[in-house]
């Protein structure tokens, strides 16, 4: 569904629930990461783009000091937040992301007043396409617009990241930055230490195809935090601020002091940063063969050194790579342990590849993989409804 359709639908739902029209709205997209995986919390480079799927927030003021939240994605789940009481995290509640955003704004000394809110999104949940970042960023952009706060897109990303931490995941900054700052037709090359952005034009003769393995492991959050810890330990042992400050030479010199796992995690981060730069070069030179080799190397490193892939995802990547050199490049994308594969496909081959991958996956695992096509989309926007 495109952004305007999401908005129209959300506005109608809002009216039928609250009996009045919404007056303001915001939209923020999900993301797919093209390369630079598990580097963001190591002060490294990432290169995602926003996708054509996202979350809208619509709302209007009420006369109470209360935020009321409803979502189409979680029917009948109305929750409230009383602005005069301390904000706490609820057990298993989707509104923690919204509570977190409000808490961060209040902590900045900003005065808010009560609103009725409705949320609707079309990002497949749990697929690793950042539905939670899109929700937080959309709501942060909404509050920023409604209360005329003038925060920058990067500020909104940082607010959203703090909200995600409040909700319980100790994530890096990649997802929120791209959801907030993305530019149509471009990848966002982000230095996660300085938050410096460079927009890298995406090649017009490539389609972005996302294949959802439909497999999700329970361990995701625990394993994610564990990887983070291993990286922090490795950096500490090497006397560095973070792993992105290390070279392969430093790593070799410190090999004896690191556990086998810390060594592998660090090697992934160092080589992944280099692959990010290699991808920029390949895109600038229109060199698809190098692009494909680099994406494949990223996948192998995430599989072998970072150990965040799974058999089903490896099968999808192998199937796409076998499709034909020069036609498609692929790797696991996102946090891992299931989720999605991203493929960059030469124009004209996407339909055939789509069919072949779906069939092979069904035959091997009996699972229907879902495929989404997307363009590199724009980041978050505030939209007064009267302008729609
Ligand atoms: C998740 C996190 C991001 C990033 C990726 C891995 O999506 O939210 O911050 O660490 O995993 O690259």
């Amino acid at each position: 569904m495109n952004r305007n359709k999401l908005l129209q639908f959300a506005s109608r739902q809002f009216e039928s629930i609250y009996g009045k029209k919404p007056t303001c709205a915001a939209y923020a997209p999900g993301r797919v990461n093209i390369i630079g995986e598990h580097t963001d919390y190591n002060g490294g480079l990432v290169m995602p783009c926003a996708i054509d799927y996202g979350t809208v927030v619509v709302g209007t003021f009420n006369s109470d000091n209360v935020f009321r939240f409803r979502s189409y994605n979680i029917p009948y789940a109305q929750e409230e937040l009383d602005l005069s009481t301390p904000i706490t995290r609820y057990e298993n509640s989707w509104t923690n992301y919204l509570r977190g955003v409000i808490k961060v704004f209040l902590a900045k000394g900003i005065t808010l007043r009560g609103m009725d809110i409705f949320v609707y999104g079309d990002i497949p949940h749990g697929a690793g396409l950042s539905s939670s970042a899109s929700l937080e960023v959309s709501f942060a952009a909404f509050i920023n617009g409604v209360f005329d706060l003038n925060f920058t897109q990067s500020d909104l990303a940082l607010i959203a990241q703090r909200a995600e931490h409040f909700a319980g995941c100790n994530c890096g900054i990649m997802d929120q930055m791209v959801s907030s700052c993305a530019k149509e037709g471009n990848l966002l090359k982000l230095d996660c230490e300085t938050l410096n952005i460079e927009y890298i034009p995406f090649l017009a003769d490539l389609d972005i195809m996302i294949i959802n393995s439909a497999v999700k492991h329970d361990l995701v959050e625990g394993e994610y935090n564990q990887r983070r810890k291993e990286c922090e330990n490795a950096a500490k042992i090497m006397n560095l601020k973070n792993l992105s400050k290390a070279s392969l030479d430093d790593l070799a010199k410190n090999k004896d002091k690191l556990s086998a796992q810390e060594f592998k995690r660090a090697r992934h981060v160092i080589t992944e940063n280099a692959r990010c730069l290699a991808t920029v070069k390949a895109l600038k030179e229109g060199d698809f063969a190098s692009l494909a080799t680099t994406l494949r190397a990223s996948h192998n490193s995430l599989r072998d050194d970072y150990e965040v892939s799974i058999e089903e995802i490896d099968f999808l990547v192998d199937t796409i790579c076998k499709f034909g050199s020069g036609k498609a490049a692929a790797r696991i994308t996102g946090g891992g342990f299931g989720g999605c594969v991203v493929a960059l496909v030469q124009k004209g081959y996407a339909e055939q590849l789509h069919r072949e991958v779906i069939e092979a996956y069904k035959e091997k695992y009996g699972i229907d993989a879902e495929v989404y096509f997307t363009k590199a989309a724009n980041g978050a926007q505030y939209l007064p409804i009267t302008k729609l």
Side-chain angles (χ1 to χ4, degrees):
M1 225 187 270
N2 69 29
R3 193 197 68 185
N4 281 351
K5 280 200 180 133
L6 282 178
L7 275 168
Q8 281 158 10
F9 183 81
S11 302
R12 280 200 304 274
Q13 292 287 318
F14 181 96
E15 210 174 330
S16 75
I17 291 168
Y18 293 109
K20 56 188 174 183
K21 284 187 193 298
T23 50
C24 337
Y27 171 84
R31 65 97 187 94
V32 62
N33 191 17
I34 304 301
I35 198 150
E37 213 69 82
H38 289 282
T39 45
D40 62 348
Y41 52 84
N42 287 303
L45 300 173
V46 295
M47 210 155 58
C49 66
I51 56 176
D52 288 331
Y53 299 80
T55 308
V56 292
V57 173
V58 297
T60 196
F61 290 104
N62 58 38
S63 48
D64 315 314
N65 203 27
V66 166
F67 269 84
R68 287 194 192 89
F69 303 120
R70 290 288 294 261
S71 164
Y72 182 77
N73 301 78
I74 307 177
Y76 316 116
Q78 167 152 333
E79 285 193 27
E80 291 190 356
L81 179 154
D82 185 338
L83 285 166
S84 59
T85 59
I87 298 174
T88 52
R89 187 152 71 95
Y90 283 19
E91 224 18 69
N92 293 326
S93 169
W94 65 280
T95 62
N96 284 332
Y97 302 112
L98 307 174
R99 290 172 194 285
V101 168
I102 291 180
K103 195 175 167 91
V104 179
F105 277 116
L106 294 179
K108 288 180 180 292
I110 286 153
T111 309
L112 303 176
R113 50 187 264 243
M115 297 194 79
D116 295 333
I117 300 288
F118 184 81
V119 169
Y120 179 46
D122 65 352
I123 304 174
H125 186 70
L129 299 174
S130 291
S131 53
S132 60
S134 135
L135 172 59
E136 297 141 13
V137 172
S138 184
F139 191 50
F142 178 89
I143 297 287
N144 190 45
V146 172
F147 291 91
D148 219 357
L149 300 176
N150 285 319
F151 283 103
T152 65
Q153 296 296 108
S154 298
D155 292 336
L156 296 180
L158 288 164
I159 290 167
Q161 183 197 29
R162 282 174 65 188
E164 178 98 30
H165 291 180
F166 167 82
C169 178
N170 199 14
C171 66
I173 190 63
M174 167 171 74
D175 305 346
Q176 290 78 11
M177 277 298 280
V178 65
S179 179
S180 192
C181 305
K183 198 158 101 186
E184 197 177 343
N186 287 271
L187 304 184
L188 180 134
K189 179 184 163 222
L190 176 70
D191 179 326
C192 296
E193 187 163 349
T194 60
L195 296 193
N196 187 43
I197 290 173
E198 187 188 344
Y199 292 101
I200 308 288
F202 190 63
L203 299 181
D205 53 357
L206 293 181
D207 283 320
I208 303 174
M209 182 171 159
I210 302 166
I211 306 100
N212 186 353
S213 68
V215 180
K216 186 162 166 62
H217 284 212
D218 297 340
L219 301 166
V220 186
E221 240 163 59
E223 292 281 353
Y224 183 90
N225 292 337
Q226 171 78 22
R227 295 294 180 285
R228 241 194 120 135
K229 218 159 175 250
E230 286 162 352
C231 289
E232 281 159 12
N233 283 346
K236 207 165 160 199
I237 291 168
M238 290 198 272
N239 252 321
L240 295 167
K241 185 174 170 206
N242 60 48
L243 282 182
S244 297
K245 301 268 181 285
S247 65
L248 286 174
D249 270 356
D250 296 328
L251 189 61
K253 277 185 210 134
N254 285 283
K255 189 167 185 189
D256 295 345
K257 295 189 213 146
L258 298 166
S259 72
Q261 265 181 355
E262 286 161 353
F263 179 83
K264 288 204 290 182
R265 307 306 187 231
R267 183 167 58 190
H268 165 75
V269 173
I270 297 165
T271 55
E272 186 75 353
N273 281 328
R275 283 187 288 269
C276 219
L277 295 174
T279 303
V280 174
K281 184 166 181 283
L283 284 170
K284 286 187 175 164
E285 292 172 358
D287 180 352
F288 186 75
S290 301
L291 186 65
T293 312
T294 309
L295 261 61
R296 177 77 228 198
S298 168
H299 182 79
N300 294 351
S301 178
L302 287 156
R303 182 192 63 200
D304 303 333
D305 274 355
Y306 222 70
E307 297 177 281
V308 290
S309 191
I310 56 165
E311 187 193 319
E312 291 87 340
I313 292 274
D314 292 340
F315 177 82
L316 285 169
V317 170
D318 290 345
T319 307
I320 296 165
C321 290
K322 272 192 221 135
F323 179 72
S325 63
K327 293 184 199 155
R331 59 181 281 280
I332 184 174
T333 185
F337 304 103
C340 290
V341 164
V342 61
L344 307 182
V345 191
Q346 296 276 10
K347 283 252 182 284
Y349 292 106
E351 242 176 64
Q352 190 194 342
L353 177 63
H354 181 176
R355 243 189 347 265
E356 288 187 15
V357 169
I358 295 269
E359 272 171 23
Y361 194 60
K362 177 84 176 179
E363 197 180 311
K364 174 93 175 164
Y365 294 106
I367 302 174
D368 292 306
E370 272 188 19
V371 171
Y372 324 106
F373 286 96
T374 186
K375 300 217 167 33
N378 273 322
Q381 273 173 293
Y382 173 66
L383 307 148
I385 286 222
T386 42
K387 286 201 188 149
L388 285 180

